[in-house]
Amino acid sequence: EVQLVQSGAEVREPGTTLKISCKASAYSFSDYYMHWVKQAPGKGLEWMGLVDPEDGETRYAEKFQGRVTMTADTSADTVYMELSSLKFDDTAVYYCVVDLNWFEPWGQGTLVTVSS
Amino acid sequence: QAVVTQEPSLTVSPGGTVTLTCGSSTGAVTSGHYPYWFQQKPGQAPRALMYDTSKKHSWTPARFSGSLLGGKAALTLSGAQPEDEADYHCMLSYSSLHWVFGGGTKLTVL
């Protein structure tokens, strides 16, 4: 069964950097784009960007450009999303989702809380 | 960046029919936006229901259908069931490898 397992909940102070992971299993990791999606509390979904695990190519939403870095480690079948200069409104659940079966499956989500 | 618009909330009676729409600030939504629809229930990750305007995943109930309607993407639910109560998110593709979600529609079955 294809699975995406994300790292656990995080608490960060404003201005710091966060790095969360998404480990893939049971499919050819390098062959499919991995996307990251943000969902702030009580809000809709927000596409942040994608990484191509095969060559590391990335595409970022304009809003996150300059603050986000998405990388892939093919030796570990894992992608990472790093978000810098954290702000209070970065508090959200962050999902990874692989474009294996038309934007399926999704990871379970990682709750990130930005608090002083 | 483009803005994708959805109805904030809709209500449908059990057994009834409802259409959710997905518009774009850049103009008419076309098949070239490859519209997606996702269903999300409380406390769960989203799940893709529809892609490429009208194509269904294997788990998508037959009562859901997708189309282009009046310059928007549309998701029609015919014969609503209580378990269809959820948030529905549309997503559109803009240029190469860039996607934008709408704000989501909270669907109540009542």
Side-chain angles (χ1 to χ4, degrees):
Chain A
E1 179 195 358
V2 175
Q3 268 199 315
L4 301 178
V5 178
Q6 298 184 225
S7 49
E10 303 268 13
V11 179
R12 290 284 185 276
E13 292 188 348
T16 62
T17 295
L18 167 83
K19 190 171 185 176
I20 59 178
S21 66
C22 170
K23 181 167 175 57
S25 60
Y27 72 94
S28 180
F29 177 73
S30 296
D31 289 349
Y32 301 94
Y33 297 128
M34 189 75 76
H35 302 256
W36 288 92
V37 175
K38 174 185 176 182
Q39 187 169 36
K43 303 294 185 183
L45 304 175
E46 192 168 14
W47 184 80
M48 299 179 69
L50 65 83
V51 58
D52 182 346
E54 182 172 49
D55 60 9
E57 181 186 8
T58 54
R59 293 279 194 277
Y60 301 136
E62 194 177 313
K63 174 180 177 179
F64 298 100
Q65 194 86 31
R67 270 209 313 140
V68 70
T69 304
M70 297 177 188
T71 56
D73 179 351
T74 54
S75 69
D77 288 354
T78 300
V79 296
Y80 301 91
M81 191 276 290
E82 185 173 276
L83 191 60
S84 62
S85 303
L86 288 171
K87 302 175 281 188
F88 292 118
D89 65 5
D90 290 320
T91 293
V93 174
Y94 292 85
Y95 293 100
C96 58
V97 49
V98 62
D99 204 0
L100 171 68
N101 184 20
W102 305 102
F103 267 83
E104 282 285 333
W106 292 60
Q108 84 275 20
T110 296
L111 174 62
V112 172
T113 303
V114 181
S115 173
S116 55
Chain B
Q1 180 172 289
V3 175
V4 176
T5 54
Q6 298 182 246
E7 298 86 1
S9 63
L10 290 169
T11 299
V12 61
S13 300
T17 296
V18 64
T19 297
L20 290 66
T21 67
C22 177
S24 172
S25 63
T26 62
V29 175
T30 70
S31 58
H33 288 97
Y34 304 99
Y36 273 77
W37 291 92
F38 298 86
Q39 181 188 64
Q40 186 179 28
K41 296 184 178 180
Q44 297 182 16
R47 190 149 210 217
L49 273 184
M50 203 79 63
Y51 61 95
D52 226 3
T53 306
S54 59
K55 295 177 182 171
K56 299 180 185 182
H57 280 281
S58 58
W59 52 79
T60 304
R63 59 185 179 272
F64 288 95
S65 62
S67 65
L68 295 175
L69 199 63
K72 297 182 178 183
L75 178 71
T76 299
L77 170 58
S78 303
Q81 301 297 309
E83 60 265 31
D84 299 326
E85 186 161 296
D87 293 330
Y88 291 84
H89 308 273
C90 74
M91 183 180 75
L92 301 177
S93 171
Y94 292 88
S95 74
S96 176
L97 301 179
H98 273 81
W99 298 88
V100 180
F101 281 98
T105 295
K106 182 177 182 62
L107 181 66
T108 300
V109 180
L110 189 61

